[in-house]
């Protein structure tokens, strides 16, 4: 398995793909992150074509167990971000 792509590498690839400079690519990437973050934090979902769908899901209060002590405790309700991968990306990865 190869190393994950860093933001610098992603910006360079994005700039090449867009035929733009790195400053423009960085701005586009930051804007995308801001839009997705705001939409998901507000309880919505964002579909990025060819990548997947990012959603926020609420989990109810539940009982959990501390593996070190075996103690059972109640964990408060919380939210979790979920990413569902697009079928087109799965098809590309699986050949």
């Amino acid at each position: 398995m190869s190393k994950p792509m860093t933001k610098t590498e992603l910006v360079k690839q994005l700039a090449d793909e867009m035929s733009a400079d790195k400053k423009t690519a960085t701005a586009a990437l930051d804007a995308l992150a801001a839009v997705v973050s705001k939409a998901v934090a507000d309880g919505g979902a964002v579909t990025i074509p060819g990548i997947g769908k990012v959603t926020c899901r609420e989990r109810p209060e539940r009982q959990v167990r501390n593996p070190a002590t075996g103690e059972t405790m109640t964990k408060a309700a919380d939210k979790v971000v979920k990413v569902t991968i697009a079928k087109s990306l799965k098809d590309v990865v699986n050949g």
Side-chain angles (χ1 to χ4, degrees), residues 5 9-21 24-26 28-29:
M5 186 181 286
E9 294 168 338
L10 179 59
V11 166
K12 183 182 180 321
Q13 293 274 334
L14 191 58
D16 291 345
E17 201 63 34
M18 292 170 48
S19 300
D21 60 352
T24 304
T26 300
L29 187 59

Side-chain angles (χ1 to χ4, degrees), residues 25-73:
T26 300
L29 187 59
D30 291 343
L32 177 65
V35 168
V36 171
S37 296
K38 184 173 180 344
V40 172
D42 291 342
V46 177
T47 300
I48 304 171
I51 303 290
K53 182 177 182 180
V54 183
T55 59
C56 183
R57 186 176 64 109
E58 292 191 24
R59 292 194 299 189
E61 185 178 275
R62 61 196 181 279
Q63 294 293 315
V64 295
R65 189 177 72 82
N66 181 335
T69 64
E71 176 187 4
T72 301
M73 60 182 117

